[in-house]
């Protein structure tokens, strides 16, 4: 099938075609009941149950396609959005809008230098060689260090700030962490998750340029705002279901106030009278990371029959 000729009338949704964000993105789409089948070697997939076409793109390219209105929605890293905005000044008709933080893919864009070197402050890299795959953000970062005015990444004459910097910033698309060991750079600016790769390369951080996580973004003029809102609502529901569990327990009515302070819920707990006099059943949403402590505290105050149920999906505010 000629997929390009079947895109008319469909909302275009860009997702990472590979890399650290891809699997979590696919899981999110599955949880949102966005049904599709991606044919081998094809970067477009038609969604079966909605007027949506998924477009598989490198995460670094997604902000450009969304920002220029070529696609309506996208999932990428906040670092990639910031890099796009650093090199492509936002106008009334271009640029992206962040719909929500998706809560996965956390990382940091950091300035790293050789572990065995003497540098401890980023100012010590001024005038030296720096390698990165984030040219726009790195140029702005060093412009601030050097005191070079750089509104929208441009100098006062409206041209690139690159020639105004004393620091030489070079682009490398991959394996940035190897640049110092190979003598290409005195320092690097690169994404760090656990930090193990940088340690293995003999590097250590001296500053953080940006904290990043995966985000859902949209163009300023999506082709179908109602469908955008539907997708955002579904994704938000899946994220809430991943964060929360449903905690149910029985407790004497005399202890209800104490118990519900432990499990206040998102809005308020649901309380139901039991057939046994002076006892109630409580149902409340609790963040997963707090549930073990909540169960311990509930037991201590006198709650019984404590159950924890997983959530498959939700619609909450």
């Amino acid at each position: 099938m000629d997929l390009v000729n079947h895109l008319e009338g469909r909302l275009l949704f860009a997702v990472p075609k590979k890399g650290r964000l891809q699997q979590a993105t696919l899981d999110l789409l599955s949880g949102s009941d966005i049904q599709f089948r991606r044919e081998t070697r094809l970067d477009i997939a038609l969604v079966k149950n909605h007027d949506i076409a998924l477009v598989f793109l490198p995460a670094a390219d997604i902000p450009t396609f969304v920002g220029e209105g070529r696609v309506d929605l996208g999932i990428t890293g906040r670092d990639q959005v910031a890099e796009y905005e650093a090199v492509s000044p936002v106008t009334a008709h271009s640029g992206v809008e962040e719909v929500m933080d998706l809560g996965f893919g956390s990382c940091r864009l950091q300035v790293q230098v050789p572990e065995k070197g003497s540098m401890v402050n980023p100012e010590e890299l001024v005038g030296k060689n720096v390698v990165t795959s984030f040219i726009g953000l790195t140029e702005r970062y060093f412009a601030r260090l050097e005191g070079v005015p750089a509104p929208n990444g441009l100098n006062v004459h409206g041209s690139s700030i690159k020639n105004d910097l004393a620091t030489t910033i070079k682009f490398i698309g991959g394996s940035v962490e190897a640049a110092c060991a190979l003598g290409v750079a005195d320092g690097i600016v690169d994404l760090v998750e656990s930090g193990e790769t940088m340690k293995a390369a003999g590097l250590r951080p001296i500053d953080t340029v940006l904290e990043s996580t995966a985000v859902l973004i949209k163009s300023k003029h999506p082709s179908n705002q109602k469908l955008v809102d539907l997708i955002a609502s579904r994704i938000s529901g899946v994220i809430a279901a991943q964060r929360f569990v449903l905690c149910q327990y029985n407790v004497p009515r005399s202890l209800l106030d104490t118990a519900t302070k432990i499990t206040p819920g998102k809005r308020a707990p649901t309380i139901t009278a039991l057939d046994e006099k002076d006892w109630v059943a409580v149902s409340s949403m609790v963040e997963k990371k707090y549930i073990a402590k909540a169960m311990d505290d509930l037991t201590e105050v006198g709650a019984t029959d404590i159950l924890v149920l997983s959530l498959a999906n939700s619609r909450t505010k």
Side-chain angles (χ1 to χ4, degrees):
M1 179 170 63
D2 184 1
L3 292 177
V4 174
N5 291 325
H6 287 75
L7 299 182
E8 185 70 30
R10 288 181 179 265
L11 183 122
L12 301 185
F13 190 169
V15 296
K17 66 185 298 183
K18 59 182 179 180
R20 62 188 184 86
L21 301 181
Q22 187 194 43
Q23 190 55 55
T25 297
L26 295 180
D27 293 343
L28 198 59
L29 296 179
S30 176
S32 303
D33 193 33
I34 295 176
Q35 303 172 15
F36 69 95
R37 179 183 174 185
R38 183 185 179 190
E39 300 292 343
T40 304
R41 302 179 69 84
L42 290 181
D43 288 337
I44 297 175
L46 303 183
V47 174
K48 300 175 183 178
N49 55 336
H50 293 285
D51 289 330
I52 301 171
L54 299 180
V55 184
F56 292 84
L57 297 168
D61 294 341
I62 289 175
T64 299
F65 280 83
V66 175
E68 294 183 0
R70 306 302 179 184
V71 299
D72 302 286
L73 272 177
I75 291 177
T76 187
R78 187 174 280 122
D79 54 295
Q80 301 294 352
V81 174
E83 174 66 10
Y84 162 73
E85 291 176 342
V87 299
S88 304
V90 175
T91 70
H93 301 287
S94 66
V96 307
E97 295 180 1
E98 182 176 318
V99 179
M100 71 180 74
D101 187 321
L102 300 177
F104 63 84
S106 296
C107 62
R108 303 172 303 282
L109 185 64
Q110 290 188 323
V111 182
Q112 299 263 342
V113 296
E115 176 68 41
K116 295 181 179 180
S118 60
M119 285 185 283
V120 294
N121 298 310
E123 289 82 2
E124 295 176 75
L125 276 173
V126 171
K128 299 184 184 299
N129 293 320
V130 175
V131 158
T132 185
S133 55
F134 292 83
I135 289 289
L137 287 172
T138 302
E139 287 182 350
R140 284 195 178 190
Y141 176 82
F142 279 94
R144 288 195 298 271
L145 288 183
E146 298 181 28
V148 176
N152 299 320
L154 303 176
N155 62 22
V156 293
H157 304 295
S159 57
S160 172
I161 61 174
K162 182 176 182 179
N163 295 330
D164 298 333
L165 296 177
T167 308
T168 301
I169 299 170
K170 303 175 183 178
F171 175 82
I172 292 182
S175 300
V176 176
E177 70 278 0
C180 292
L182 296 175
V184 178
D186 300 295
I188 69 169
V189 176
D190 200 19
L191 285 182
V192 178
E193 291 182 73
S194 67
E196 293 303 314
T197 299
M198 296 301 173
K199 288 181 182 178
L203 300 172
R204 57 181 168 81
I206 58 173
D207 199 11
T208 296
V209 178
L210 178 76
E211 300 276 352
S212 181
T213 187
V215 290
L216 177 69
I217 57 175
K218 69 174 184 176
S219 74
K220 290 187 174 181
H221 305 284
S223 62
N224 187 333
Q225 184 62 51
K226 184 176 180 180
L227 190 51
V228 167
D229 293 341
L230 175 65
I231 293 170
S233 175
R234 287 192 176 191
I235 289 177
S236 179
V238 173
I239 292 171
Q242 292 171 344
R243 285 182 54 207
F244 290 88
V245 291
L246 189 64
C247 182
Q248 298 180 332
Y249 57 91
N250 298 329
V251 68
R253 188 176 291 277
S254 61
L255 300 174
L256 180 59
D257 286 347
T258 303
T260 53
K261 286 179 182 177
I262 299 170
T263 59
K266 280 186 67 86
R267 186 183 300 275
T270 300
I271 300 168
T272 308
L274 292 180
D275 204 19
E276 185 171 344
K277 185 179 179 182
D278 296 328
W279 279 74
V280 295
V282 180
S283 181
S284 183
M285 290 177 67
V286 179
E287 281 197 70
K288 284 182 181 179
K289 60 184 178 182
Y290 300 130
I291 189 60
K293 178 71 165 54
M295 293 175 73
D296 294 339
D297 293 346
L298 287 170
T299 301
E300 187 173 336
V301 301
T304 64
D305 311 314
I306 303 170
L307 303 175
V308 176
L309 308 177
S310 296
L311 302 175
N313 211 324
S314 70
R315 293 292 187 277
T316 63
K317 290 186 178 180

